[in-house]
Amino acid sequence: MESSVTGAIIAQFAEDMKSFSQAEVIVVGGGPSGLMAALDLAKKKVKVLVVERNPHLGGGFWLGGFFMNTVTIRSPAESILDELGVKYKQFEKGLYGVPGPLICSKLIAATCEAGAGILNMVSFDDVVLRERNRVAGVVVNWTSASSLPKAISMVDPIALEAKVVIDATGHDACVVRKLEERGLYKVPGFGAMWIEKSEDEVVKHSGFCHPGLIVTGMAVSTTFGLPRMGPTFGSMLLSGRRGAALAYENLRKKK
Ligand code: 48H
């Protein structure tokens, strides 16, 4: 039985990796914006993979802020709570609250059920670049490789190809930062908090920031120098949705 259990784990991993080494869309980061993007794409039968450095998905979506559970959502994003079948409380017109563990686990479950691939405990390391510096995939390694002593951690990463990559890595905007390291982008960094302005601007700016690369969520603030939105998450969901719609449109044009 032991060898059957081991064999089952290895066989499934190999099958998934072989399939997702050539994805249509790779989402780097499994927080609210990345999951939302992956959910919408998977629902449209797009071959989408989420690469997440932690063992768990959800990013900052488990907590509402300051280690307190209530996640706030501002209009019009409560429509996504309705779609996910999550009950919420109205605090005032246009401001809603939902327990973080509930909305986060619902979003994760919906994304997995829709068919998105999940590669957790794996960190983004670099971009694959093709003609005219188009982003054509990601270079990844086991997250644990970076915390090993240098002599052991000198394990080469592997590459996964994609037609579109989405940077949903939150404040760090890791994929965009890698382009900056390579002299292809100048990252202004996110600005001070201004919830109303930020939420609208982040959704509006969600999209391609470089050929082959879409940015969503808090990474949009970092990439375009927009104000931060603090502990409220409606724009994260709407940003992921817009990123998915633009990725889908781009894939259809390529067909
Ligand atoms: C693989 C990686 C890597 C890497 C990071 O931070 P997140 O929750 O991101 P968003 O943009 O979906 O949501 C932001 C929100 O949680 C938040 O912090 C807000 C609204 N802040 C406002 C403010 O003013 O501060 O999730 C990002 C995910 C996490 O799960 C990371 O572990 C993951 O990306 N990630 N995964 N390789 N190199 N870097």
Side-chain angles (χ1 to χ4, degrees):
M1 184 42 68
E2 280 73 8
S3 62
S4 300
V5 170
T6 305
I9 295 168
I10 293 171
Q12 192 59 54
F13 184 73
E15 188 184 319
D16 292 346
M17 281 304 273
K18 191 160 190 295
S19 167
F20 285 113
S21 61
Q22 225 176 7
E24 289 180 283
V25 179
I26 291 179
V27 179
V28 185
S33 75
L35 288 172
M36 190 69 226
L39 168 61
D40 276 4
L41 287 166
K43 274 192 189 160
K44 289 188 163 128
K45 304 284 171 241
V46 170
K47 196 197 229 186
V48 54
L49 175 71
V50 179
V51 174
E52 169 55 53
R53 69 180 169 195
N54 284 321
H56 59 273
L57 297 167
F61 209 30
W62 291 104
L63 293 164
F66 204 64
F67 291 130
M68 295 181 288
N69 267 352
T70 298
V71 159
T72 59
I73 301 280
R74 297 173 57 249
S75 269
E78 75 276 16
S79 62
I80 294 177
L81 302 182
D82 291 327
E83 282 173 36
L84 291 168
V86 181
K87 289 203 183 96
Y88 47 88
K89 173 176 170 177
Q90 177 168 338
F91 287 108
E92 59 182 69
K93 194 165 178 291
L95 179 63
Y96 307 92
V98 62
L102 175 62
I103 177 62
C104 195
S105 54
K106 280 270 195 179
L107 181 58
I108 293 168
T111 308
C112 295
E113 273 169 10
I118 307 294
L119 192 56
N120 48 347
M121 280 301 281
V122 169
S123 293
F124 165 85
D125 185 62
D126 206 343
V127 281
V128 174
L129 293 179
R130 288 288 179 267
E131 71 290 346
R132 292 183 295 283
N133 290 319
R134 173 178 62 87
V135 174
V138 293
V139 178
V140 296
N141 214 337
W142 298 115
T143 298
S144 49
S146 61
S147 54
L148 289 169
K150 203 158 181 218
I152 306 173
S153 70
M154 283 164 67
V155 44
D156 270 333
I158 57 166
L160 309 170
E161 290 181 45
K163 293 183 177 129
V164 177
V165 172
I166 298 183
D167 185 346
T169 58
H171 301 73
D172 294 344
C174 296
V175 186
V176 183
R177 289 268 183 211
K178 187 52 79 171
L179 292 182
E180 181 174 51
E181 242 177 82
R182 302 203 171 286
L184 298 172
Y185 198 92
K186 180 86 192 85
V187 181
F190 60 84
M193 198 183 299
W194 183 354
I195 290 179
E196 276 160 327
K197 183 163 187 215
S198 168
E199 288 227 283
D200 291 348
E201 289 289 307
V202 161
V203 178
K204 209 162 79 190
H205 283 78
S206 300
F208 283 95
C209 64
H210 184 88
L213 180 63
I214 285 176
V215 62
T216 64
M218 184 61 202
V220 176
S221 291
T222 303
T223 302
F224 295 105
L226 303 174
R228 65 193 300 182
M229 71 297 301
T232 196
F233 290 80
S235 55
M236 299 297 100
L237 300 173
L238 294 172
S239 163
R241 170 150 287 175
R242 184 171 154 82
L246 292 170
Y248 188 70
E249 194 184 295
N250 187 267
L251 292 174
R252 283 186 47 173
K253 267 193 223 146
K254 281 183 179 148
K255 275 186 182 158

